[in-house]
């Protein structure tokens, strides 16, 4: 099949290359011509494990193309996939300006029957609205389908080629059949449903996962007060197959380009329908508070944070990605700076993106985890990159000014830190406080 993808970001680029990998002829279009030039020159605009190899193969074999002009590639496309961003507006609602622009562009260009597949995460009812928008512009025959995306950054290629399920929202049989045929080779269950239910499956899934995270984080906070260990608790809970072990890891809360925006958007979707989604509002509030636990722990360990030097390991919202959108590190850095701390940061791949988001001259940018830790009063692990898990903790003790480790992701064991002689502040577990630390 001939497929055009509009929007060559995390979702569009990965989806496009994976459709090409299935043997289709795919053109990825983006209005950002720098991105397209980079891709045409063999570069990859995002960090995503395994992506460059599969892009190179499909370009070489003549199945994958990149363009910054939609009109050059749309005419003979059977399917046009929209994968543009839907960021949050200040009130939490999804900003649909990019979707609307893409839909208008398509409507002005199509000349024969085309399937328009919306992969971006959009509020319930958007596909119907876009249907009306196109009908107002062109008399050419078309169908709109909703194909929400469930990939996770960091494992995006694997997730796209081996999804848990494929959801297709369609109101007519013809596009439902074409989209089913397109996704059948992936071997996953395919759910064909109406447009509104498909849109809701995406939001409900993300809201549920966010709820699991905030739930275990609240359990962690209680564990700290009553002397239980949240890792043991989560393990004991997760073995129950009705609960499941995934997304039950206590930490500093979720971030990224999806959970924060999709939870807020679903609260708005509910509100617009006169429903107060109390549970999800609490999930969002708990998540915001959870980030500040790092600051509370530092304060317990060091007292006043003014003029204290704090090393932060990890800036990406999770390992395996350079994405820092809504990363807990952003709020943590800002809070530390506002309290007068000196902040030294390091992340293996997300430094540049972070610099673009939080460009504060007071931040000390370092070249590795050791340079960040050197002579710092404490180190905080914010993103559980493998290289941080493997550090020699005795060497860390000797590198720090004060042997204090705030583990925002619970990656070390009590035995490891005891052996190294480090004061340890994990999440939802007993803290280990050595006597040699000086408060000021
Ligand atoms: P992104 O910001 O990485 O990429 C969007 C791209 O669209 C940008 O490159 C932008 O230049 C381009 N664009 C915008 N308007 C355009 C237009 N009119 N014509 C051509 N290009 C245009 O976004 P993303 O992270 O890939 O997310 C895309 C959508 O997928 C969002 O709705 C998001 O919620 C959803 N989603 C994202 C993820 C994820 O992990 N990133 C997972 C599932 C779903």
């Amino acid at each position: 099949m001939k497929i055009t993808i509009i929007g060559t970001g995390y979702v569009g680029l990965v989806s496009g290359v994976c459709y090409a990998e299935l043997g289709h002829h795919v053109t990825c279009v983006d209005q950002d011509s720098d991105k397209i030039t980079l891709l045409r020159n063999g570069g990859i605009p995002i960090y995503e494990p395994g992506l460059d190899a599969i892009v190179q193969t499909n370009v070489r074999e003549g199945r994958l193309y990149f363009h910054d002009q939609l009109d050059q590639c749309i005419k003979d496309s059977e399917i046009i996939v929209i994968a543009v961003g839907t960021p949050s507006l200040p009130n939490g609602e999804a900003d649909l300006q990019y979707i609307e622009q893409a839909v208008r562009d398509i409507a002005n260009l199509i000349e024969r029957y085309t399937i328009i597949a919306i992969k971006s995460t959009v509020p319930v009812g958007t596909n119907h609205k876009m249907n009306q928008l196109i009908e107002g512009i062109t008399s050419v025959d078309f169908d709109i389908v909703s194909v929400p995306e469930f990939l996770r950054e960091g494992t995006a290629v694997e997730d796209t080629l081996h999804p848990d399920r494929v959801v297709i929202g369609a109101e007519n049989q013809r596009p439902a059949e074409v989209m089913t045929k397109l996704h059948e080779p992936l071997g996953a269950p395919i759910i064909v449903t109406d447009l509104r239910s498909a849109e809701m499956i995406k939001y409900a899934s993300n809201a549920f996962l966010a709820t699991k995270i905030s739930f275990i984080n609240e359990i962690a906070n209680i564990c700290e007060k009553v002397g239980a260990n949240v890792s043991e608790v989560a393990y004991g809970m997760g073995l129950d197959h009705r609960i499941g072990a995934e997304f039950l890891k206590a930490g500093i809360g979720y971030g990224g380009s999806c959970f924060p925006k999709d939870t807020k958007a679903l609260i708005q979707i509910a509100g617009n329908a006169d429903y107060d989604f109390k549970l999800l509002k609490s999930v969002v509030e708990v998540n915001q508070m959870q980030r500040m636990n790092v600051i509370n722990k530092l304060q317990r360990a060091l007292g006043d944070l003014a003029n204290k030097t704090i090393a932060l390991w990890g800036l990406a919202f999770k390992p395996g990605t350079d994405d820092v959108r809504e990363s807990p590190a952003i709020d943590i850095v800002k809070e530390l700076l506002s309290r007068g701390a000196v902040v030294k940061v390091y992340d293996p791949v997300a430094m540049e993106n972070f610099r673009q988001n939080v460009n504060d001259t007071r931040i000390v940018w370092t070249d590795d985890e050791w340079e960040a830790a050197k002579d710092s009063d404490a180190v905080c692990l914010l993103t559980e990159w493998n290289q941080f898990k493997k550090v020699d903790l005795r060497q860390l003790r000797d590198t720090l000014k004060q042997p204090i480790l705030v583990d925002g992701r619970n990656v070390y064991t009590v035995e490891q830190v005891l052996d190294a002689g480090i004061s340890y502040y994990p999440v939802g577990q007993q803290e280990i406080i050595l006597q040699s630390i000086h408060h000021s």
Side-chain angles (χ1 to χ4, degrees):
M1 284 186 227
K2 288 205 164 135
I3 303 173
T4 295
I5 314 267
I6 305 182
T8 308
Y10 288 88
V11 168
L13 180 56
V14 173
S15 304
V17 71
C18 289
Y19 287 134
E21 181 72 10
L22 295 179
H24 302 288
H25 185 281
V26 179
T27 306
C28 291
V29 182
D30 204 290
Q31 62 187 11
D32 182 344
S33 45
D34 290 346
K35 214 177 241 190
I36 295 300
T37 307
L38 178 70
L39 284 159
R40 283 182 166 173
N41 291 331
I44 300 286
I46 54 171
Y47 175 82
E48 188 57 54
L51 185 60
D52 54 354
I54 186 173
V55 167
Q56 274 169 25
T57 308
N58 283 281
V59 168
R60 197 173 52 239
E61 294 178 4
R63 291 188 298 266
L64 182 63
Y65 297 85
F66 302 104
H67 225 296
D68 58 4
Q69 297 298 322
L70 191 57
D71 53 354
Q72 308 276 314
C73 34
I74 210 171
K75 289 194 175 67
D76 53 352
S77 284
E78 294 154 89
I79 303 170
I80 302 171
V81 179
I82 301 179
V84 299
T86 47
S88 291
L89 288 167
N91 70 354
E93 266 182 74
D95 181 354
L96 297 180
Q97 62 164 309
Y98 304 104
I99 292 272
E100 284 173 8
Q101 186 55 52
V103 162
R104 275 202 191 88
D105 292 346
I106 295 168
N108 284 313
L109 290 168
I110 51 170
E111 292 174 354
R112 63 181 178 110
Y113 175 77
T114 310
I115 294 174
I116 299 158
I118 298 189
K119 204 169 242 313
S120 303
T121 304
V122 290
V124 181
T126 304
N127 277 268
H128 280 97
K129 279 191 202 139
M130 295 306 118
N131 200 76
Q132 284 167 4
L133 185 61
I134 302 172
E135 279 173 349
I137 297 174
T138 181
S139 54
V140 174
D141 194 15
F142 73 96
D143 272 302
I144 280 232
V145 292
S146 166
V147 274
E149 180 54 61
F150 299 95
L151 65 77
R152 295 163 299 174
E153 288 173 19
T155 50
V157 174
E158 177 69 15
D159 289 351
T160 306
L161 291 173
H162 305 284
D164 288 343
R165 78 307 208 180
V166 174
V167 174
I168 298 169
E171 306 284 318
N172 295 319
Q173 202 175 345
R174 180 177 177 184
E177 280 172 5
V178 174
M179 295 308 285
T180 300
K181 197 165 156 228
L182 175 64
H183 291 95
E184 255 167 9
L186 299 174
I190 295 179
I191 297 111
V192 178
T193 181
D194 60 279
L195 287 172
R196 286 190 168 85
S197 301
E199 292 165 333
M200 186 55 113
I201 288 170
K202 173 64 193 173
Y203 279 108
S205 300
N206 274 0
F208 186 79
L209 293 172
T211 303
K212 260 186 120 174
I213 294 171
S214 279
F215 181 87
I216 200 66
N217 280 336
E218 288 222 281
I219 294 292
N221 296 341
I222 302 166
C223 283
E224 282 183 18
K225 289 183 184 296
V226 299
N229 180 329
V230 76
S231 299
E232 300 289 318
V233 173
Y235 180 63
M237 289 170 65
L239 288 176
D240 184 329
H241 71 272
R242 294 169 304 176
I243 297 172
E246 301 259 341
F247 283 73
L248 270 191
K249 224 172 161 306
I252 55 174
Y254 57 79
S257 69
C258 292
F259 286 4
K261 115 180 140 54
D262 294 348
T263 43
K264 285 182 212 140
L266 185 50
I267 289 167
Q268 284 295 327
I269 293 166
N272 292 345
D274 274 338
Y275 189 87
D276 184 14
F277 199 156
K278 292 191 182 127
L279 177 62
L280 198 54
K281 283 180 177 170
S282 298
V283 167
V284 171
E285 194 187 333
V286 167
N287 191 60
Q288 198 55 36
M289 279 176 358
Q290 194 67 16
R291 303 173 167 196
M292 288 306 126
N293 278 358
V294 171
I295 308 287
N296 299 339
K297 285 175 195 291
L298 281 171
Q299 194 159 358
R300 263 208 306 285
L302 292 165
D304 185 1
L305 296 179
N307 299 318
K308 296 284 178 353
T309 302
I310 311 297
L312 299 182
W313 284 0
L315 301 170
F317 82 94
K318 67 173 181 181
T321 182
D322 61 350
D323 200 343
V324 302
R325 289 179 281 186
E326 300 276 347
S327 175
I330 295 175
D331 286 343
I332 292 167
V333 166
K334 286 183 180 165
E335 183 64 25
L336 286 171
L337 290 173
S338 78
R339 290 180 186 222
V342 176
V343 183
K344 292 167 84 181
V345 302
Y346 172 69
D347 187 286
V349 300
M351 298 287 269
E352 200 41 53
N353 278 350
F354 199 81
R355 209 189 300 262
Q356 280 168 22
N357 275 266
V358 190
N359 193 8
D360 194 307
T361 49
R362 290 172 295 177
I363 297 173
V364 183
W365 308 89
T366 66
D367 287 336
D368 62 34
E369 60 271 41
W370 296 112
E371 192 189 333
K374 183 138 184 51
D375 295 330
S376 289
D377 290 291
V379 61
C380 304
L381 183 140
L382 303 185
T383 316
E384 63 275 39
W385 287 101
N386 272 338
Q387 73 187 70
F388 301 151
K389 292 183 189 171
K390 289 189 212 143
V391 293
D392 179 340
L393 290 180
R394 287 177 178 219
Q395 190 185 339
L396 178 63
R397 179 200 55 208
D398 296 341
T399 306
L400 287 162
K401 185 154 99 193
Q402 302 204 59
I404 297 170
L405 170 56
V406 176
D407 183 356
R409 303 293 182 177
N410 285 350
V411 303
Y412 305 108
T413 63
V414 170
E415 292 72 36
Q416 278 176 299
V417 292
L418 275 178
D419 178 57
I422 288 180
S423 283
Y424 187 52
Y425 294 79
V427 179
Q429 299 175 39
Q430 200 190 350
E431 295 173 351
I432 297 169
I433 300 165
L434 304 178
Q435 293 313 311
S436 59
I437 296 164
H438 303 296
H439 285 236
S440 57

